[in-house]
Amino acid sequence: MKSLIIKTSLALFLAVISERSFAQSVNFKTKNPYYSRTVTTPLKVSNVEWKKILKPELYQVAREGATETSFTGKYYEFDEKGTYFCAVCGNPLFLSTSKFATTCGWPSFYEPLRKNSVIYRKDTSHNMTRTEVLCGRCDSHLGHIFDDGPKPTGNRFCMNSVCLDFVPNSGKK
């Protein structure tokens, strides 16, 4: 009897911990005072400040314009339903319904969530001309846009996984 009570208590405890972990992943908490999934007002924060707040790998890509290694990002072959947010500031960027399979090595989307979710800048680095995609709220580098995507837009927003946070739709896949 005592053994059954201990096993039941342990099972209940693990269920609560498991539920709490899921809730924390959905209700993401951060020490970043500028992170908000509801506020879309543009931010003007210096890179000196961002460097104090962000993890080094995120800072390097988002604030210094680096690129994560292809085929290594956590969202490259990820297909859950939900919303992608800027990992720097929490700005809503893309819906999973606009994500499509590609062989480029990075998660790709054919359109942003809102017109002002992202902004664009000419990028002439690496001896080529491309269009850089930046977060519309915090100006962080997200990736690049190309004109070889699927209908209806023909665009391919080629994004760095490290710059994205994902929130599933009500815990459903």
Side-chain angles (χ1 to χ4, degrees), residues 94 97-100 108-115 120 145-158:
F94 301 97
T97 53
S98 72
K99 188 173 187 289
F100 63 97
S108 297
F109 304 85
Y110 63 79
E111 69 183 349
L113 181 65
R114 300 179 328 276
K115 183 178 178 180
Y120 309 94
I145 184 173
F146 302 96
D147 62 2
D148 59 355
K151 293 181 180 181
T153 67
N155 292 325
R156 174 172 52 96
F157 288 81
C158 187

Side-chain angles (χ1 to χ4, degrees), residues 48-145:
V48 171
E49 182 69 14
W50 283 127
K51 195 166 192 168
K52 293 176 190 173
I53 297 168
L54 303 176
K55 291 180 180 179
E57 58 275 5
L58 176 56
Y59 180 83
Q60 185 180 18
V61 175
R63 304 306 305 173
E64 294 182 341
T67 300
E68 68 188 1
T69 304
S70 60
F71 304 101
T72 63
K74 62 185 171 184
Y75 298 123
Y76 170 59
E77 291 185 320
F78 185 81
D79 65 356
E80 289 189 35
K81 300 297 181 211
T83 305
Y84 292 86
F85 296 83
C86 175
V88 174
C89 72
N91 186 37
L93 298 171
F94 301 97
L95 292 176
S96 61
T97 53
S98 72
K99 188 173 187 289
F100 63 97
T102 178
T103 58
C104 72
W106 293 273
S108 297
F109 304 85
Y110 63 79
E111 69 183 349
L113 181 65
R114 300 179 328 276
K115 183 178 178 180
N116 60 352
S117 289
V118 297
I119 55 176
Y120 309 94
R121 179 169 60 198
K122 184 177 182 179
D123 176 4
T124 57
S125 65
H126 305 290
N127 297 316
M128 62 180 105
T129 300
R130 301 178 290 177
T131 302
E132 181 181 16
V133 178
L134 306 163
C135 174
R137 182 168 184 243
C138 69
D139 293 330
S140 287
H141 170 80
L142 301 170
H144 292 87
I145 184 173

Side-chain angles (χ1 to χ4, degrees), residues 24-39:
Q24 285 174 350
S25 68
V26 172
N27 300 318
F28 179 77
K29 292 186 181 180
T30 177
K31 293 179 182 179
N32 179 348
Y34 306 105
Y35 193 96
S36 172
R37 291 187 178 154
T38 57
V39 178

